[in-house]
Amino acid sequence: MNRYLILATALVAGVSGATASTSKLFSGGTIIAWNNETETPSVIRNGSILVVDDIIQAVSSQANPDDAPRDAEIIDVSGQIITPGFIDTHRHGWQTAFKTLGSNTTLAQYFFRYGEFAAAANFRAKDVYLGQLAGLYEALNAGVTTTLDHAHHTWSNETAYAGLNASIDSRARVFWAYAFHDIPTLNYTVADQIPNFRDIATSDILDGTNTELAIAYDSWGPEPGPEASQIASLAKEYDIAALTTHTLGGPWGTTNLPEDVYPFDILNGTLPVIFSHGSFISARGAQLLRSTNQYISITPESEMHYGHTHPLSYTLQDQAALGVDTHFTFSTDILTQARIWLQSTRYRLFNQVLSTWRIPRNSPMSVVQAFSLATRAGGLALRRPDLGVIQPGAKADLVVWNAAESPALLGWVDPIAAVILHASVGDVLHVTVNGEFVKRDGKITASRYKQVREDFLESAQRIQGIYEKMPLPVLEGQFMDGGFEYADTSIADTKHGEGNGYGSVYTDEST
Ligand SMILES: *[C@@H]1O[C@H](CO)[C@@H](O)[C@H](O)[C@H]1NC(C)=O
Ligand SMILES: *[C@@H]1O[C@H](CO)[C@@H](O)[C@H](O)[C@H]1NC(C)=O
Ligand SMILES: *[C@@H]1O[C@H](CO)[C@@H](O)[C@H](O)[C@H]1NC(C)=O
Ligand SMILES: *[C@@H]1O[C@H](CO)[C@@H](O)[C@H](O)[C@H]1NC(C)=O
Ligand SMILES: *[C@@H]1O[C@H](CO)[C@@H](O)[C@H](O)[C@H]1NC(C)=O
Ligand SMILES: *[C@@H]1O[C@H](CO)[C@@H](O)[C@H](O)[C@H]1NC(C)=O
Ligand SMILES: *[C@@H]1O[C@H](CO)[C@@H](O)[C@H](O)[C@H]1NC(C)=O
Ligand SMILES: [Zn+2]
């Protein structure tokens, strides 16, 4: 069963570097490892993981392997469950200050109020820094170790650096995707952003950090922006780590389908291209994703919350990973996304049978599939087979779940079901990124976290003050003059008798 778990001792033994390596032995837990021959998780009970520096050096079926280095720090994880860190393939970290303000916002409202263009004038560089940093700590706390950040806080050279610096300082593994977009209100255009991007790409600011440079661009087509070719060239010139785009289509515009990106000669090479949402993906788009092995990022809660929906995504899960999107509006963690997605896929596929008056014989999707989407698939989307897996040679991005003590997990037998269906962020005990603890014993390890919280709150209160006074956008006629009319949804009725119980947003001003 553990045939593939060869101790990859050569990896470190061969290195005769000047700096002493540090080893950690996570000893005695149930490990959800990855078997890359069968492409499935492999459960090891009462085993151990040896981490040397930033790498998983060995995964063993013994709690205390004889050949573990004598100076290794032993972390007793008996009774606990260890998974790889979860991977979020779509997020906008800077938006933390909006927390709870968008509890029932729709996507059209979002664009006019909280989006990259609407928000630009309300954020100073330090607001971007603090929002991004607090947001990434929030992700790490939740066991999300890798984030593809569609960083559309690039409103000036300074705000660009602010979000980048926060990403670096968080010690999370961040694919920081510089967004190219014209910001007329601040007179900061793609033409201004290109030299800023080049500065970042040619500097040594990312050396030795957990942050990698990526690009975000939302004007690939069907009518490409004038600078689309230039951005494709930049992606190649600097050999960036990933490229990402918002893909909606349907009445939304913001199309950016795979067939729109394909003519720019970046889809079918070594560069990972991640299409966020893919709500109205086309048959041709799906075919292109498969033939070029590129991925969509399904953000289940976002797509339901805002109403972009995902009518087709469940048919494209072989080319899909998961994302959170705007964490100020809902759950920040990929575990919740995996759970919501699992159950909504089940609903959809069960309903296909029930709607023909038949009885489902089996369940359409498993916890193993949901787990794989939350971990391994994210690594594949980023073309990083060393992320989202526990196996020798992979990056030591680990989550230890408090399976020994959490009331939610008492009695678990199947560790994958325990995590996917019963655990919560509150059960995340330890988190490592690159072999270093970013959360330990339930607490964020960064010594400056307390100060960051205080500074963030001050920054957030100023921004929230602006938003409390800002009238809601009036949505009349067509959405962005795109030819599609606004229409009312029906409102849920949760109240017996008169009224529907809808209520209002409770802010400082309204309570
Ligand atoms: C785990 O393995 C260790 C060492 O082999 C052993 O002492 C311990 O009793 C085992 N624990 C369980 C729960 O089986
Ligand atoms: C970002 O960090 C660099 C040092 O790496 C510093 O020179 C620069 O001032 C910082 N910029 C912002 C906006 O925080
Ligand atoms: C915007 O910036 C350009 C140069 O980048 C400058 O020529 C122009 O005057 C500026 N416009 C405003 C309104 O500041
Ligand atoms: C932004 O950075 C670019 C590239 O270094 C530089 O040419 C430009 O002057 C900077 N803009 C401002 C407003 O500092
Ligand atoms: C992608 O490239 C491979 C060869 O590298 C080729 O066989 C395949 O047809 C290409 N697919 C598309 C859609 O261009
Ligand atoms: C499985 O992973 C190991 C270590 O990362 C690697 O050496 C091996 O080539 C992989 N095998 C396959 C089939 O991908
Ligand atoms: C829902 O949104 C409307 C604006 O569209 C707002 O006035 C109302 O207070 C919100 N209600 C709740 C319960 O969030
Ligand atoms: Zn987004």
Side-chain angles (χ1 to χ4, degrees):
M1 163 196 162
N2 295 327
R3 188 165 50 86
Y4 72 103
L5 299 166
I6 313 140
L7 296 186
T9 38
L11 255 177
V12 163
V15 177
S16 56
T19 49
S21 53
T22 58
S23 318
K24 295 183 180 74
L25 186 74
F26 291 84
S27 169
T30 294
I31 301 157
I32 308 179
W34 187 258
N35 182 335
N36 63 353
E37 284 170 20
T38 58
E39 278 290 317
T40 51
S42 161
V43 169
I44 297 158
R45 293 178 199 264
N46 197 14
S48 64
I49 299 174
L50 176 63
V51 170
V52 177
D53 297 332
D54 58 331
I55 299 289
I56 295 173
Q57 198 192 350
V59 184
S60 169
S61 54
Q62 289 176 279
N64 300 297
D66 304 332
D67 50 359
R70 284 176 196 285
D71 62 352
E73 181 192 354
I74 311 278
I75 296 112
D76 180 3
V77 289
S78 32
Q80 315 292 30
I81 296 170
I82 313 183
T83 67
F86 284 8
I87 298 181
D88 179 351
T89 53
H90 183 65
R91 193 182 185 95
H92 309 289
W94 61 269
Q95 296 180 321
T96 317
F98 293 143
K99 188 160 292 174
T100 73
L101 295 189
S103 69
N104 70 348
T105 196
T106 66
L107 190 58
Q109 284 180 348
Y110 167 88
F111 282 132
F112 294 117
R113 213 172 144 77
Y114 305 109
E116 65 201 272
F117 304 105
N122 300 323
F123 281 68
R124 304 163 302 185
K126 77 171 188 186
D127 300 316
V128 172
Y129 180 85
L130 291 165
Q132 179 83 357
L133 189 56
L136 283 165
Y137 282 140
E138 186 186 350
L140 290 173
N141 180 60
V144 177
T145 52
T146 296
T147 295
L148 172 54
D149 194 283
H150 184 129
H152 48 25
H153 56 74
T154 44
W155 302 309
S156 66
N157 294 355
E158 213 193 348
T159 61
Y161 273 109
L164 176 61
N165 286 3
S167 304
I168 295 168
D169 292 351
S170 74
R171 291 156 75 215
R173 191 177 297 287
V174 182
F175 289 75
W176 183 78
Y178 190 111
F180 290 102
H181 51 184
D182 286 330
I183 305 292
T185 46
L186 298 179
N187 198 17
Y188 192 59
T189 63
V190 174
D192 300 316
Q193 289 149 22
I194 289 173
N196 181 222
F197 174 84
R198 285 187 189 279
D199 274 356
I200 292 168
T202 53
S203 76
D204 57 7
I205 188 167
L206 297 175
D207 294 357
T209 74
N210 297 341
T211 296
E212 300 197 36
L213 189 59
I215 286 178
Y217 184 60
D218 284 347
S219 299
W220 296 108
E223 288 150 35
E227 48 309 89
S229 301
Q230 231 182 320
I231 287 162
S233 301
L234 284 178
K236 290 183 202 163
E237 182 180 344
Y238 294 105
D239 191 23
I240 55 163
L243 187 138
T244 189
T245 186
H246 281 111
T247 305
L248 290 181
W252 294 110
T254 318
T255 307
N256 300 313
L257 292 166
E259 56 268 44
D260 299 322
V261 176
Y262 186 68
F264 294 93
D265 194 30
I266 42 176
L267 199 63
N268 195 22
T270 52
L271 175 70
V273 182
I274 289 96
F275 295 85
S276 308
H277 315 303
S279 299
F280 293 85
I281 198 91
S282 65
R284 167 93 180 119
Q287 194 181 47
L288 269 175
L289 290 178
R290 290 190 172 117
S291 70
T292 60
N293 195 20
Q294 303 288 8
Y295 281 66
I296 58 169
S297 174
I298 302 171
T299 63
E301 197 170 2
S302 158
E303 291 153 14
M304 292 194 264
H305 180 108
Y306 286 110
H308 8 344
T309 75
H310 34 229
L312 299 169
S313 304
Y314 69 96
T315 64
L316 198 53
Q317 295 191 67
D318 54 324
Q319 296 297 147
L322 298 175
V324 168
D325 200 5
T326 64
H327 64 294
F328 74 95
T329 24
F330 36 69
S331 325
T332 195
D333 63 309
I334 288 294
L335 171 60
T336 302
Q337 303 311 322
R339 186 176 301 161
I340 288 178
W341 183 245
L342 168 65
Q343 304 295 26
S344 64
T345 299
R346 284 175 170 172
Y347 179 103
R348 202 180 294 268
L349 298 181
F350 274 138
N351 202 43
Q352 289 177 351
V353 172
L354 284 167
S355 61
T356 60
W357 306 115
R358 292 175 299 164
I359 302 297
R361 184 179 284 128
N362 59 296
S363 178
M365 186 169 168
S366 72
V367 290
V368 171
Q369 291 175 309
F371 179 83
S372 303
L373 286 177
T375 54
R376 167 71 163 173
L380 293 179
L382 292 161
R383 304 212 171 163
R384 288 291 301 267
D386 60 338
L387 299 181
V389 290
I390 295 179
Q391 65 180 203
K395 288 285 185 185
D397 298 356
L398 301 172
V399 179
V400 178
W401 301 83
N402 194 359
E405 287 170 3
S406 167
L409 299 178
L410 185 66
W412 66 274
V413 179
D414 175 345
I416 300 179
V419 170
I420 292 294
L421 294 176
H422 299 275
S424 68
V425 169
D427 301 325
V428 173
L429 186 64
H430 310 309
V431 181
T432 66
V433 177
N434 251 357
E436 287 181 27
F437 282 102
V438 290
K439 182 177 189 183
R440 191 161 192 174
D441 297 320
K443 292 236 161 28
I444 288 168
T445 58
S447 56
R448 58 199 296 238
Y449 184 58
K450 187 165 177 289
Q451 189 62 47
V452 170
R453 285 172 64 107
E454 285 170 18
D455 295 346
F456 166 76
L457 281 178
E458 202 181 305
S459 154
Q461 276 158 15
R462 188 189 66 83
I463 292 163
Q464 290 166 358
I466 296 171
Y467 278 77
E468 280 175 9
K469 292 185 189 70
M470 192 188 291
L472 288 168
V474 179
L475 305 179
E476 269 165 8
Q478 297 179 353
F479 172 63
M480 294 190 176
D481 299 323
F484 297 95
E485 305 284 323
Y486 289 110
D488 292 328
T489 66
S490 23
I491 301 280
D493 184 351
T494 59
K495 195 172 176 189
H496 175 77
E498 289 288 295
N500 58 22
Y502 199 83
S504 60
V505 176
Y506 297 99
T507 65
D508 283 351
E509 303 242 308
S510 63
T511 47

